[in-house]
mmCIF file of all heavy atoms in Angstrom:
data_model
loop_
_atom_site.group_PDB
_atom_site.id
_atom_site.type_symbol
_atom_site.label_atom_id
_atom_site.label_comp_id
_atom_site.label_asym_id
_atom_site.label_seq_id
_atom_site.Cartn_x
_atom_site.Cartn_y
_atom_site.Cartn_z
ATOM 1 N N VAL A 108 88.269 120.537 95.648
ATOM 2 C CA VAL A 108 88.785 119.590 94.649
ATOM 3 C C VAL A 108 89.683 118.550 95.306
ATOM 4 O O VAL A 108 89.544 117.333 95.061
ATOM 5 C CB VAL A 108 89.543 120.349 93.545
ATOM 6 C CG1 VAL A 108 90.326 119.374 92.667
ATOM 7 C CG2 VAL A 108 88.568 121.140 92.689
ATOM 8 N N GLN A 109 90.623 118.992 96.150
ATOM 9 C CA GLN A 109 91.572 118.057 96.753
ATOM 10 C C GLN A 109 90.864 117.054 97.655
ATOM 11 O O GLN A 109 91.197 115.867 97.663
ATOM 12 C CB GLN A 109 92.631 118.830 97.560
ATOM 13 C CG GLN A 109 93.537 119.694 96.723
ATOM 14 C CD GLN A 109 94.390 118.884 95.754
ATOM 15 O OE1 GLN A 109 94.820 117.785 96.078
ATOM 16 N NE2 GLN A 109 94.631 119.408 94.571
ATOM 17 N N SER A 110 89.890 117.523 98.423
ATOM 18 C CA SER A 110 89.170 116.602 99.297
ATOM 19 C C SER A 110 88.307 115.637 98.497
ATOM 20 O O SER A 110 88.154 114.464 98.878
ATOM 21 C CB SER A 110 88.308 117.381 100.297
ATOM 22 O OG SER A 110 87.376 118.212 99.636
ATOM 23 N N SER A 111 87.745 116.089 97.391
ATOM 24 C CA SER A 111 86.949 115.194 96.548
ATOM 25 C C SER A 111 87.804 114.059 96.004
ATOM 26 O O SER A 111 87.372 112.896 95.977
ATOM 27 C CB SER A 111 86.318 115.977 95.388
ATOM 28 O OG SER A 111 85.397 116.941 95.859
ATOM 29 N N VAL A 112 89.026 114.378 95.582
ATOM 30 C CA VAL A 112 89.940 113.343 95.099
ATOM 31 C C VAL A 112 90.357 112.430 96.252
ATOM 32 O O VAL A 112 90.397 111.201 96.107
ATOM 33 C CB VAL A 112 91.174 113.986 94.433
ATOM 34 C CG1 VAL A 112 92.207 112.931 94.080
ATOM 35 C CG2 VAL A 112 90.755 114.767 93.191
ATOM 36 N N ALA A 113 90.671 113.023 97.397
ATOM 37 C CA ALA A 113 91.117 112.216 98.536
ATOM 38 C C ALA A 113 90.041 111.245 98.993
ATOM 39 O O ALA A 113 90.351 110.131 99.441
ATOM 40 C CB ALA A 113 91.511 113.139 99.693
ATOM 41 N N LEU A 114 88.770 111.633 98.875
ATOM 42 C CA LEU A 114 87.686 110.754 99.300
ATOM 43 C C LEU A 114 87.614 109.464 98.480
ATOM 44 O O LEU A 114 87.060 108.468 98.930
ATOM 45 C CB LEU A 114 86.347 111.493 99.216
ATOM 46 C CG LEU A 114 86.107 112.551 100.293
ATOM 47 C CD1 LEU A 114 84.910 113.416 99.950
ATOM 48 C CD2 LEU A 114 85.914 111.901 101.659
ATOM 49 N N THR A 115 88.166 109.478 97.285
ATOM 50 C CA THR A 115 88.181 108.270 96.464
ATOM 51 C C THR A 115 89.382 107.379 96.760
ATOM 52 O O THR A 115 89.452 106.255 96.271
ATOM 53 C CB THR A 115 88.216 108.639 94.970
ATOM 54 O OG1 THR A 115 89.482 109.255 94.648
ATOM 55 C CG2 THR A 115 87.101 109.595 94.615
ATOM 56 N N LEU A 116 90.325 107.875 97.572
ATOM 57 C CA LEU A 116 91.570 107.147 97.797
ATOM 58 C C LEU A 116 91.730 106.636 99.217
ATOM 59 O O LEU A 116 92.440 105.644 99.430
ATOM 60 C CB LEU A 116 92.764 108.053 97.459
ATOM 61 C CG LEU A 116 92.800 108.636 96.038
ATOM 62 C CD1 LEU A 116 93.962 109.600 95.900
ATOM 63 C CD2 LEU A 116 92.882 107.539 94.998
ATOM 64 N N VAL A 117 91.118 107.310 100.196
ATOM 65 C CA VAL A 117 91.339 106.928 101.596
ATOM 66 C C VAL A 117 90.639 105.602 101.879
ATOM 67 O O VAL A 117 89.529 105.359 101.429
ATOM 68 C CB VAL A 117 90.822 108.022 102.547
ATOM 69 C CG1 VAL A 117 91.654 109.278 102.390
ATOM 70 C CG2 VAL A 117 89.352 108.327 102.303
ATOM 71 N N PRO A 118 91.294 104.716 102.656
ATOM 72 C CA PRO A 118 90.727 103.391 102.904
ATOM 73 C C PRO A 118 89.893 103.279 104.170
ATOM 74 O O PRO A 118 89.116 102.341 104.311
ATOM 75 C CB PRO A 118 91.970 102.502 103.015
ATOM 76 C CG PRO A 118 93.017 103.414 103.574
ATOM 77 C CD PRO A 118 92.708 104.785 103.066
ATOM 78 N N GLY A 119 90.038 104.193 105.116
ATOM 79 C CA GLY A 119 89.403 104.018 106.413
ATOM 80 C C GLY A 119 88.264 104.985 106.655
ATOM 81 O O GLY A 119 88.171 106.052 106.034
ATOM 82 N N ALA A 120 87.404 104.615 107.607
ATOM 83 C CA ALA A 120 86.235 105.432 107.915
ATOM 84 C C ALA A 120 86.632 106.778 108.529
ATOM 85 O O ALA A 120 86.057 107.814 108.190
ATOM 86 C CB ALA A 120 85.305 104.671 108.863
ATOM 87 N N SER A 121 87.603 106.770 109.434
ATOM 88 C CA SER A 121 88.006 108.015 110.101
ATOM 89 C C SER A 121 88.567 109.019 109.101
ATOM 90 O O SER A 121 88.227 110.212 109.139
ATOM 91 C CB SER A 121 89.042 107.716 111.193
ATOM 92 O OG SER A 121 88.491 106.881 112.190
ATOM 93 N N ALA A 122 89.443 108.545 108.204
ATOM 94 C CA ALA A 122 90.006 109.437 107.197
ATOM 95 C C ALA A 122 88.929 109.962 106.261
ATOM 96 O O ALA A 122 88.958 111.125 105.844
ATOM 97 C CB ALA A 122 91.084 108.703 106.400
ATOM 98 N N PHE A 123 87.964 109.104 105.939
ATOM 99 C CA PHE A 123 86.872 109.530 105.067
ATOM 100 C C PHE A 123 86.090 110.666 105.717
ATOM 101 O O PHE A 123 85.747 111.660 105.059
ATOM 102 C CB PHE A 123 85.947 108.346 104.776
ATOM 103 C CG PHE A 123 84.938 108.609 103.705
ATOM 104 C CD1 PHE A 123 85.252 108.385 102.371
ATOM 105 C CD2 PHE A 123 83.667 109.083 104.012
ATOM 106 C CE1 PHE A 123 84.321 108.613 101.368
ATOM 107 C CE2 PHE A 123 82.731 109.319 103.025
ATOM 108 C CZ PHE A 123 83.057 109.078 101.690
ATOM 109 N N LEU A 124 85.804 110.558 106.999
ATOM 110 C CA LEU A 124 85.056 111.596 107.699
ATOM 111 C C LEU A 124 85.853 112.894 107.778
ATOM 112 O O LEU A 124 85.287 113.994 107.661
ATOM 113 C CB LEU A 124 84.679 111.116 109.101
ATOM 114 C CG LEU A 124 83.656 109.981 109.170
ATOM 115 C CD1 LEU A 124 83.468 109.519 110.609
ATOM 116 C CD2 LEU A 124 82.318 110.415 108.573
ATOM 117 N N VAL A 125 87.179 112.779 107.976
ATOM 118 C CA VAL A 125 88.014 113.973 108.029
ATOM 119 C C VAL A 125 87.969 114.725 106.707
ATOM 120 O O VAL A 125 87.803 115.957 106.670
ATOM 121 C CB VAL A 125 89.466 113.599 108.392
ATOM 122 C CG1 VAL A 125 90.406 114.779 108.161
ATOM 123 C CG2 VAL A 125 89.541 113.142 109.838
ATOM 124 N N PHE A 126 88.098 113.997 105.600
ATOM 125 C CA PHE A 126 88.088 114.670 104.306
ATOM 126 C C PHE A 126 86.700 115.176 103.922
ATOM 127 O O PHE A 126 86.580 116.123 103.149
ATOM 128 C CB PHE A 126 88.648 113.745 103.221
ATOM 129 C CG PHE A 126 90.145 113.672 103.228
ATOM 130 C CD1 PHE A 126 90.803 112.514 103.631
ATOM 131 C CD2 PHE A 126 90.903 114.766 102.855
ATOM 132 C CE1 PHE A 126 92.179 112.448 103.645
ATOM 133 C CE2 PHE A 126 92.291 114.712 102.868
ATOM 134 C CZ PHE A 126 92.929 113.548 103.269
ATOM 135 N N ARG A 127 85.661 114.553 104.465
ATOM 136 C CA ARG A 127 84.322 115.126 104.272
ATOM 137 C C ARG A 127 84.214 116.475 104.975
ATOM 138 O O ARG A 127 83.597 117.407 104.457
ATOM 139 C CB ARG A 127 83.263 114.169 104.807
ATOM 140 C CG ARG A 127 82.926 113.043 103.863
ATOM 141 C CD ARG A 127 82.162 113.532 102.643
ATOM 142 N NE ARG A 127 80.785 113.903 102.983
ATOM 143 C CZ ARG A 127 79.942 114.493 102.128
ATOM 144 N NH1 ARG A 127 80.339 114.803 100.914
ATOM 145 N NH2 ARG A 127 78.712 114.769 102.491
ATOM 146 N N ALA A 128 84.816 116.593 106.156
ATOM 147 C CA ALA A 128 84.826 117.882 106.842
ATOM 148 C C ALA A 128 85.629 118.917 106.057
ATOM 149 O O ALA A 128 85.229 120.090 105.956
ATOM 150 C CB ALA A 128 85.392 117.722 108.251
ATOM 151 N N VAL A 129 86.762 118.491 105.487
ATOM 152 C CA VAL A 129 87.560 119.401 104.659
ATOM 153 C C VAL A 129 86.774 119.840 103.428
ATOM 154 O O VAL A 129 86.814 121.010 103.021
ATOM 155 C CB VAL A 129 88.881 118.728 104.251
ATOM 156 C CG1 VAL A 129 89.650 119.597 103.261
ATOM 157 C CG2 VAL A 129 89.731 118.438 105.475
ATOM 158 N N GLN A 130 86.036 118.917 102.834
ATOM 159 C CA GLN A 130 85.199 119.268 101.692
ATOM 160 C C GLN A 130 84.135 120.287 102.094
ATOM 161 O O GLN A 130 83.839 121.224 101.333
ATOM 162 C CB GLN A 130 84.541 118.007 101.123
ATOM 163 C CG GLN A 130 83.852 118.221 99.776
ATOM 164 C CD GLN A 130 83.210 116.943 99.266
ATOM 165 O OE1 GLN A 130 82.699 116.141 100.048
ATOM 166 N NE2 GLN A 130 83.229 116.758 97.961
ATOM 167 N N GLY A 131 83.563 120.122 103.294
ATOM 168 C CA GLY A 131 82.605 121.101 103.787
ATOM 169 C C GLY A 131 83.227 122.469 103.996
ATOM 170 O O GLY A 131 82.587 123.506 103.753
ATOM 171 N N ALA A 132 84.491 122.501 104.443
ATOM 172 C CA ALA A 132 85.196 123.780 104.596
ATOM 173 C C ALA A 132 85.389 124.458 103.240
ATOM 174 O O ALA A 132 85.234 125.680 103.109
ATOM 175 C CB ALA A 132 86.539 123.555 105.275
ATOM 176 N N GLY A 133 85.738 123.657 102.224
ATOM 177 C CA GLY A 133 85.841 124.221 100.882
ATOM 178 C C GLY A 133 84.514 124.745 100.377
ATOM 179 O O GLY A 133 84.445 125.816 99.749
ATOM 180 N N ALA A 134 83.437 124.008 100.671
ATOM 181 C CA ALA A 134 82.101 124.467 100.282
ATOM 182 C C ALA A 134 81.745 125.769 100.984
ATOM 183 O O ALA A 134 81.095 126.647 100.391
ATOM 184 C CB ALA A 134 81.069 123.387 100.618
ATOM 185 N N ALA A 135 82.175 125.938 102.245
ATOM 186 C CA ALA A 135 81.916 127.179 102.974
ATOM 187 C C ALA A 135 82.628 128.356 102.320
ATOM 188 O O ALA A 135 82.068 129.460 102.202
ATOM 189 C CB ALA A 135 82.356 127.028 104.423
#
Side-chain angles (χ1 to χ4, degrees):
V108 168
Q109 294 296 324
S110 59
S111 296
V112 173
L114 287 168
T115 68
L116 303 175
V117 294
S121 298
F123 190 87
L124 292 175
V125 168
F126 281 110
R127 280 290 288 173
V129 174
Q130 191 180 35

